[in-house]
Amino acid sequence: FALPSNGRIFQVGKMLSRNNTGFRLCIDNLNTAQLLTYFNNLSNSPECSKAFSDWMIRISGYVDKLRISIDVDSEVLPKIGVECYFRNDDNGRCSQGIRFVEMLHEFGLCTSGKKMNTTTLFNRQSLAGNELPTTVDGPHLESINRLYIHHIKIAITPSGVAASKFYLACLNY
């Protein structure tokens, strides 16, 4: 399980709801080429390695940062989680994320409703300065809550992508 020198296991977990004795390794700080090499060296499933490679190449132009999670028991299990993170454009929109969701929709991995709602959130990822509270009235501090897309996770199996999950976060200003 040796990582390249710049790789990092940022979390080790146990899925208590699953009937296996293994654990989950969450890995980041690797670029797409390093992730491909690392996973292909670990995997015992040529089908999973191919599916992983195909999807990593497909998504690499859409994302700013990738993290993977692999389940390990007596061997690396054939499902890989890929967390996809996006950066905002200069205008505060997240065009990368919008294009990524459109691609997921084309592959049947995102409903039309999820696509519409996610696009709305990606279109307002950052707040203009005049939307932030500038004064405090009385004893109560005015604040703004901002809901945003933290990341999108796709689950890759030997037959391809099995699911996409959208993770939201909320900031309070």
Side-chain angles (χ1 to χ4, degrees):
F1 295 104
L3 285 168
S5 61
N6 59 313
R8 178 177 80 111
I9 295 175
F10 69 91
Q11 185 171 297
V12 176
K14 172 76 175 142
M15 301 297 290
L16 297 175
S17 62
R18 304 229 172 113
N19 291 333
N20 67 37
T21 58
F23 55 92
R24 177 166 287 176
L25 295 176
C26 300
I27 301 163
D28 72 355
N29 219 28
L30 299 177
N31 63 38
T32 304
Q34 290 172 312
L35 285 171
L36 285 169
T37 301
Y38 180 71
F39 184 75
N40 288 332
N41 288 338
L42 288 180
S43 178
N44 293 323
S45 166
E47 297 85 7
C48 199
S49 289
K50 170 126 177 54
F52 182 70
S53 296
D54 290 349
W55 273 94
M56 293 300 286
I57 290 165
R58 184 174 289 132
I59 67 176
S60 64
Y62 294 97
V63 300
D64 187 47
K65 179 181 176 181
L66 293 168
R67 290 177 160 176
I68 65 168
S69 55
I70 55 175
D71 294 330
V72 180
D73 201 338
S74 58
E75 62 184 13
V76 175
L77 301 179
K79 182 175 161 187
I80 309 111
V82 181
E83 295 178 6
C84 304
Y85 296 83
F86 312 93
R87 71 175 175 280
N88 288 343
D89 305 333
D90 291 337
N91 63 4
R93 292 181 71 234
C94 186
S95 298
Q96 281 182 319
I98 293 168
R99 289 192 311 273
F100 186 78
V101 170
E102 288 169 352
M103 183 265 303
L104 290 177
H105 184 259
E106 288 171 15
F107 280 92
L109 297 166
C110 172
T111 65
S112 295
K114 189 185 282 186
K115 176 186 164 191
M116 181 182 70
N117 292 331
T118 304
T119 299
T120 298
L121 287 172
F122 274 139
N123 273 323
R124 58 184 180 98
Q125 283 285 78
S126 65
L127 296 170
N130 61 1
E131 294 180 79
L132 296 173
T134 56
T135 62
V136 177
D137 288 353
H140 305 288
L141 175 66
E142 294 178 23
S143 66
I144 293 176
N145 291 312
R146 181 173 68 95
L147 185 66
Y148 68 100
I149 304 291
H150 187 265
H151 67 280
I152 298 174
K153 184 175 186 176
I154 58 174
I156 301 174
T157 66
S159 59
V161 173
S164 63
K165 299 176 184 179
F166 294 61
Y167 291 81
L168 302 176
C170 183
L171 290 178
N172 180 270
Y173 294 93

